[in-house]
Amino acid sequence: MECTSVKLIKKMLVSSFVLTLMGVSANVSAKTYKTVLVHGFQSQQLSEIDPRKIDSDGQAYWADYWGALADERIDWPSYERIEGKIASDYLWPKLRTMSEQGVCQPGCIFLTHSTGDLVTRYIIDNQANWLENAGLEPLNIVATFDVAGAGGGSELADLAVNAANGLANPVVEAAVRAWLGRSVGQTLGVLHDLKVNNARQLASFPSERTPRLRFVADGDLFINATKLFLPGIDDSVVAAHSACGANQAGAFDSCSVSVGMDGKLTSQDGVRNFWPYHYPMLMSDNYDHFSVIVNQSKGKVTTANASAQLAPNKRVAFSTYEEEKGFWIWKKKYRYVRQSDNTSMSALLYAAMPE
């Protein structure tokens, strides 16, 4: 018969092994700030309008990695508009509950993906006013981690709206089908908000000085059917101007003027002017719009900025190294994040959250 201490050790080892299999660090609870997830656009909801599925759709969205690490999740339906029922029926009730429960008293980091970036900008611009008017404490949003962010909109949304109005040629319609997984119907919902001009006018300059850290990809999807319609580099859904946080739409090669998406240290036609408090961090030409939020390594990642200050003594930082490639006069220097060749971008991001 095993003694109690041996049983305890075995139990701890088994628990550690299970957590490892789940992709969950054993010190999840040691993070300083709470993590709140805000998902992106879900195209299937445009043809399957069912409020009963909003919660399960939100859970499934993050199931691969982030769902097990988060403290809260804000779910919303893609078939509604942000300033309409998304705000009144989904954002406000969730924010009210979070305030009443004191979720963000130690501080919260909002982890967003795609259109979640735009939804969160609207939250940041309004949550303090909403909650104070209800006699509640505003949420302490320390920062956002915006992954493949669509805060500047997506040109694909413009195409989809045009296609729904019968103003698209067969090539455009094919690109829209590739993105949505189906032909566009009459229910457009948040696609209206995702049109580039509309997105850039929606709460574009929140008064709150919340650092918005950007994580950007440049990968291929849909057999490149969508890339023709996205200016500059893109992740097959969102162009760099949107994902990097540029203060205007345009064709950009990188979030940096000196580092390429592939890590090459050379002059780039990159974003020079950003929205206030927007800071591009990780970039990669190996990940696409969707692989950035799953726990699968796609290849090396570089930095536009290697660190950012969130609060006194609280920083987000990535350790980098440089290497040379090529031969003789063709040698070029590259910058990469350590461990990024065998660690997913999401795992790198989580590890960098303050403890």
Side-chain angles (χ1 to χ4, degrees):
M1 183 175 180
E2 294 178 312
C3 68
T4 302
S5 60
V6 172
K7 288 182 177 180
L8 180 59
I9 290 172
K10 284 188 174 182
K11 186 176 181 180
M12 291 173 64
L13 289 173
V14 170
S15 297
S16 178
F17 178 65
V18 171
L19 286 171
T20 300
L21 287 178
M22 291 174 62
V24 180
S25 171
N27 65 348
V28 168
S29 60
K31 294 296 184 181
T32 299
Y33 303 122
K34 302 293 186 180
T35 302
V36 180
L37 304 179
V38 187
H39 64 72
F41 169 65
Q42 300 188 76
S43 61
Q44 82 280 0
Q45 291 183 344
L46 298 185
S47 58
E48 301 172 12
I49 299 176
D50 187 352
R52 296 170 299 178
K53 294 184 65 178
I54 301 305
D55 181 76
S56 59
D57 284 349
Q59 184 176 12
Y61 196 98
W62 301 103
D64 181 85
Y65 182 72
W66 285 102
L69 301 175
D71 299 281
E72 287 288 350
R73 208 178 64 236
I74 298 178
D75 301 327
W76 53 273
S78 294
Y79 51 77
E80 299 290 1
R81 299 291 301 274
I82 293 176
E83 291 185 296
K85 288 191 175 182
I86 291 177
S88 63
D89 295 4
Y90 295 90
L91 303 185
W92 162 239
K94 185 66 176 182
L95 297 175
R96 180 182 59 206
T97 299
M98 289 171 62
S99 177
E100 290 170 344
Q101 295 177 350
V103 172
C104 292
Q105 284 185 355
C108 280
I109 289 177
F110 276 45
L111 189 289
T112 81
H113 178 242
S114 191
T115 311
D117 169 24
L118 183 59
V119 171
T120 298
R121 194 169 74 217
Y122 190 74
I123 290 173
I124 291 171
D125 196 38
N126 291 284
Q127 64 96 11
N129 185 50
W130 290 347
L131 291 168
E132 286 174 347
N133 286 341
L136 296 169
E137 187 74 20
L139 304 185
N140 178 19
I141 304 175
V142 175
T144 71
F145 284 25
D146 302 307
V147 186
S154 173
E155 285 75 10
L156 300 185
D158 290 78
L159 298 184
V161 173
N162 287 341
N165 293 327
L167 301 175
N169 60 44
V171 176
V172 169
E173 290 177 350
V176 171
R177 280 197 305 272
W179 174 40
L180 299 180
R182 58 183 59 79
S183 296
V184 64
Q186 292 304 306
T187 300
L188 300 177
V190 80
L191 286 177
H192 285 294
D193 299 314
L194 270 177
K195 291 177 64 176
V196 173
N197 286 339
N198 291 348
R200 289 186 165 276
Q201 293 172 13
L202 183 68
S204 55
F205 295 100
S207 58
E208 295 295 322
R209 299 182 178 184
T210 305
R212 308 213 62 188
L213 280 53
R214 321 293 290 182
F215 302 87
V216 183
D218 177 28
D220 301 332
L221 288 169
F222 317 125
I223 322 176
N224 293 335
T226 57
K227 283 185 169 289
L228 176 65
F229 305 99
L230 295 165
I233 64 99
D234 61 82
D235 60 16
S236 294
V237 175
V238 175
H241 72 80
S242 187
C244 297
N247 68 357
Q248 61 181 3
F252 300 103
D253 295 336
S254 172
C255 299
S256 167
V257 296
S258 59
V259 186
M261 293 289 292
D262 61 353
K264 185 184 293 185
L265 299 177
T266 187
S267 178
Q268 302 287 320
D269 185 14
V271 179
R272 294 179 180 274
N273 300 303
F274 298 88
W275 266 322
Y277 314 111
H278 283 58
Y279 309 103
M281 302 295 289
L282 299 186
M283 306 186 297
S284 175
D285 65 344
N286 295 309
Y287 290 81
D288 59 56
H289 187 74
F290 300 109
S291 63
V292 287
I293 60 168
V294 302
N295 195 24
Q296 181 179 359
S297 175
K298 292 288 187 177
K300 294 180 178 179
V301 169
T302 191
T303 58
N305 293 287
S307 65
Q309 190 81 32
L310 301 188
N313 302 318
K314 297 296 180 185
R315 295 181 65 81
V316 172
F318 299 94
S319 177
T320 63
Y321 67 96
E322 293 182 7
E323 68 176 53
E324 289 186 337
K325 295 182 181 181
F327 176 72
W328 197 32
I329 61 174
W330 294 280
K331 279 187 177 180
K332 299 292 183 181
K333 281 189 175 181
Y334 290 76
R335 177 197 297 159
Y336 297 117
V337 175
R338 297 188 189 279
Q339 306 298 321
S340 64
D341 55 337
N342 56 21
T343 306
S344 70
M345 186 185 285
S346 278
L348 290 170
L349 206 157
Y350 178 72
M353 287 183 171
E355 295 186 349

